[in-house]
Amino acid sequence: MARRSKFAFPTLPAVVWQPGLPVHGAPTWVIVVGEGGLPAAAKDAGERLGVDLGRLLEAQQATGFSPAAGATATYPLLTGEATEILLVGAGDGSAKDLRHAGAAIARFGRGKDELTTVVADGIDDARLQALAEGIVLGSFTYTLKTVDPGKPVVAKVTLTDGSDDDRQVELDRGVVIGRTGWLARQFATTPSNEKDPAWLAARATELAAETGLEVTVWDEKKLAADGFGGILAVGKGSTRPPRFIRLDYVPEGADDDTPYVVLVGKGITYDTGGLSLKPREGMVSMKRDMTGGGSVIATLSALRELGAQIRVTGLICAAENMPSGTAYRPDDVIRHYGGRTTEVKNTDAEGRLVLADGLAYAVKELEPDVLVDIATLTGAIKVSLGSMLYGGLFATDDALADNLADAGRVSGEELWRMPLSSEYQELIATPIADSVNSSKGPGSITAALFLKAFAGNIPWAHLDLSSIAESPADRFEYSTGATGAGARLLTTWLTSRTPIAGIRAAE
């Protein structure tokens, strides 16, 4: 496949607020139905459409429709300007259920020019934002097909509760946060014959230019000169060399007292396992092993538009892990940025080796208030947490853990805090180096303990999101395949009012 020099950024649906019910509206009207029944504006909407929506809902419920989140039922109209009505379930009306409803609306709207959507009156900001997020996320599409590529995303979704209020600000925020998830998903879905570390650096550079970020990229020569031994070792086996990408966001008016967060993302653009080769089944889907790095890029791209009042640096540690005559080996000893050493026992435990360099660089050169790394790091976290329910959270600071967990609940990318027990430290000990990169013990915990040593005394959290990185089906706001896990979570956290509230100062 030919490599493209320019990334195709997504065309998202327009999501707009309509004060009052439109006089005419789109050919398709959507009525969002909660457990409490129809929205208040449904009576007026029904009169304009020539339909008793209350009786329509009763008839649809008699044939199996329920207001469960994301459930749908359609009804054709034979007269008038509108041609059909879609009933969409909003469940209990929570942000989570409305996000699911928004995704259902988007899926139904594929190929259509516009949907007029009636929602509950007085819907609060968080729920309205979640509905907009769902519309964007449910619209996601990625294909390289030349035949039958599928219907395009709905061009426009107009929302109204029948009141004269203007709620566009909440919708715009929802669209931007949804876009971070879309971008991270698009990065992760791009096949690795196109996507390599240089490609990832090029995309970061393009986004930086569009969104007001500073960008610095280390190539393999600069990585060697500066001592990034982990990134270089992992990338040695590939003909496509590694990159280290730094993105900087500084809000207007920032000063020395402005809080400072550094994000470190795993950017393994393909993972064969290296010389510790994965089986075929384990290798499939490893194009998405850069989900952490892609989520960091997507997050940074949204901060200025959302007005984040915090300094943020994103570090993406990008390499392709391949077997070859130049590949690093089990029993090699790596010297990371800053000098700490690792004895390699498994070349398929490569993510922690590249993240270690990023963390060490952040501690030595940047001295942030808070340090967070994000990765699809271990299969072990799936054993602990299952699939598509929770991502793993490890932290050295309780307030940081709580703040991230809160952002997970708000964003729909939920986290479960895991233990960071020092009793397991001996499992990664070796007389040859400061630590080993793999053990037979509880794999997600020992991986976190390995990384903890590189975080110094800075309040630190480690997000192991392998458990929520791959959706097995088109369900709710996810489509089959890569989820882009972490982008919505991080963006929600960093654009909250007090992202580092309660976190202790670095010692």
Side-chain angles (χ1 to χ4, degrees), residues 1 34 63 93 99 111 168 428:
M1 178 181 138
T63 58
R99 191 178 292 110
Q168 192 61 48
I428 55 172

Side-chain angles (χ1 to χ4, degrees), residues 420-474:
L420 197 57
S421 177
S422 60
E423 282 83 355
Y424 293 125
Q425 192 72 44
E426 63 183 29
L427 297 176
I428 55 172
T430 171
I432 304 299
D434 293 315
S435 63
V436 295
N437 76 323
S438 180
S439 76
K440 294 181 179 179
S444 62
I445 299 174
T446 53
L449 287 170
F450 174 89
L451 292 172
K452 180 177 180 288
F454 292 89
N457 294 319
I458 294 172
W460 163 77
H462 162 57
L463 305 179
D464 187 349
L465 303 188
S466 294
S467 50
I468 59 171
E470 185 89 10
S471 175
D474 287 345

Side-chain angles (χ1 to χ4, degrees), residues 219-228 232:
D219 63 12
E220 63 273 26
K221 293 181 180 178
K222 185 169 173 57
L223 286 168
D226 290 351
F228 287 85
L232 284 167

Side-chain angles (χ1 to χ4, degrees), residues 208-238:
E210 292 192 14
T211 58
L213 305 172
E214 294 294 323
V215 61
T216 309
V217 177
W218 281 251
D219 63 12
E220 63 273 26
K221 293 181 180 178
K222 185 169 173 57
L223 286 168
D226 290 351
F228 287 85
I231 297 174
L232 284 167
V234 174
K236 276 174 60 178
S238 176

Side-chain angles (χ1 to χ4, degrees), residues 21 25 112 130 188 195 212 218 256 263 274 302 314 326 365-367 370 372 398 410 421 426 449 452 459 475 497:
L21 284 179
K112 299 182 185 297
K195 174 180 62 187
W218 281 251
D256 291 342
L263 308 175
T326 59
E365 308 296 340
L366 305 180
E367 299 181 351
V370 173
V372 176
D398 291 342
V410 171
S421 177
E426 63 183 29
L449 287 170
K452 180 177 180 288
R475 188 167 184 265
R497 291 183 179 178

